[in-house]
Amino acid sequence: MGGLVSSLAFPVPKLPQSFYHDLLKRRDLVWLETKRGERIPAIHIQAPLRRRRNVTLLFSHGNAEDIALHLPFVTALAHRTGADVLSYEYVGYGPSRFKDCVPSEKGCYRAIDAAWDYLVNHGVEPSSIVIYGRSIGTGPSVDLASRVEAKGLILQSPIDSAIRCALGYGSSLALRPIDIFVNYEKMSKVSCRVFIMHGTDDDVVPLRCGRALQKLAQHPVDPAWIPGYGHNDIPHDTVFHHVGAFLDALAGGGGPSLRPGGLFSS
């Protein structure tokens, strides 16, 4: 049963190797190695110098996509927010799919650990790293944030767990042994400030998941419940605006919460 949950959780894009030709030629491509020796690609995008912040976003993408499919988004994210972006691939996704790697929850954790280690080992201070996950990418993001001292955590359309997202709270109690990405058990261990944005009409990951994590966070800022939008149609301009505002708030210091109806009102 646990294997079935895992297989349903990872609908890997089945793209031909030729699709990754341009990705593998990029100058900002780096190869990461997990603790099990799995090699995964990552893109380390530098923000334009004229507006560059002393911040790096460690980005974990959503499901049914891979690093090559979301390149336009993460490139625009760096240019629009002024933050450098390291976007890494999950084990068993993208080019690593052709190396007999199989996607799994633990593989995602190994991948984000390799990405964090790469940044720290290349001189990026943990206090300047903001962990950012979208959809299923909030699983490895929350897990990492619960174990390290990062500058902040951004969760876009987050799951509270795979079972709770799909079947609700009651089912998660009975099915806890096979649940994955159990964010609701880890949020209380996240010591940095947390910003959550979620479409109110999301029928893939219900808004209740984002609301549940907002209540569990130690240091939440005002969330952005974005009216009328679902899981995959929140305009990029809206996302960039909220991410930039959160980074501004982190740079300005202050308390862990912003006043209701303030910077992050939707």
Side-chain angles (χ1 to χ4, degrees):
M1 184 68 172
L4 175 61
V5 172
S6 185
S7 65
L8 292 174
F10 303 106
V12 180
K14 303 297 185 181
L15 299 166
Q17 281 186 281
S18 59
F19 181 80
Y20 302 98
H21 180 73
D22 290 342
L23 169 72
L24 299 178
K25 291 171 58 179
R26 289 179 61 112
R27 292 185 177 181
D28 53 5
L29 174 72
V30 295
W31 286 95
L32 311 177
E33 186 170 317
T34 73
K35 293 177 180 177
R36 286 197 176 181
E38 300 135 325
R39 294 186 76 237
I40 53 174
I43 297 294
H44 196 179
I45 303 170
Q46 305 295 310
L49 287 176
R50 66 184 183 278
R51 59 181 308 178
R52 192 175 182 186
R53 304 173 185 262
N54 182 31
V55 172
T56 297
L57 296 172
L58 174 51
F59 183 77
S60 301
H61 65 72
N63 219 346
E65 64 182 5
D66 62 27
I67 191 171
L69 288 171
H70 75 251
L71 270 176
F73 172 78
V74 292
T75 300
L77 178 65
H79 283 257
R80 292 289 300 277
T81 66
D84 293 348
V85 177
L86 180 70
S87 178
Y88 70 97
E89 189 58 279
Y90 304 136
V91 172
Y93 279 66
S96 77
R97 179 167 60 88
F98 304 105
K99 300 181 183 296
D100 298 322
C101 293
V102 178
S104 67
E105 178 189 18
K106 290 184 178 179
C108 290
Y109 298 152
R110 292 195 298 272
I112 198 170
D113 282 353
W116 174 269
D117 290 345
Y118 164 82
L119 288 175
V120 174
N121 291 337
H122 283 77
V124 180
E125 293 293 333
S127 59
S128 69
I129 300 174
V130 174
I131 302 167
Y132 178 1
R134 188 182 91 82
S135 188
I136 201 169
T138 61
S141 295
V142 171
D143 183 79
L144 177 65
S146 72
R147 297 182 284 111
V148 300
E149 296 290 334
K151 186 178 185 67
L153 174 64
I154 299 171
L155 302 177
Q156 181 179 344
S157 309
I159 62 172
D160 47 0
S161 82
I163 295 292
R164 285 192 176 191
C165 173
L167 301 176
Y169 178 84
S171 297
S172 74
L173 297 177
L175 299 177
R176 175 61 186 89
I178 63 169
D179 205 355
I180 61 175
F181 297 127
V182 188
N183 288 339
Y184 66 86
E185 290 184 352
K186 302 174 183 178
M187 280 298 290
S188 63
K189 300 175 183 178
V190 175
S191 59
C192 62
R193 293 169 73 182
V194 179
F195 169 55
I196 300 176
M197 56 180 143
H198 209 133
T200 61
D201 292 354
D202 194 330
D203 59 3
V204 176
V205 177
L207 178 61
R208 57 176 165 77
C209 295
R211 291 189 182 278
L213 295 180
Q214 177 74 15
K215 292 179 180 178
L216 292 169
Q218 284 190 54
H219 303 300
V221 303
D222 298 335
W225 310 135
I226 304 171
Y229 287 100
H231 194 66
N232 295 310
D233 62 350
I234 299 174
H236 289 177
D237 284 347
T238 300
V239 172
F240 300 150
H241 165 74
H242 285 300
V243 171
F246 179 57
L247 298 183
D248 287 342
L250 291 178
S257 296
L258 298 173
R259 64 181 179 82
L263 187 57
F264 295 104
S265 59
S266 57

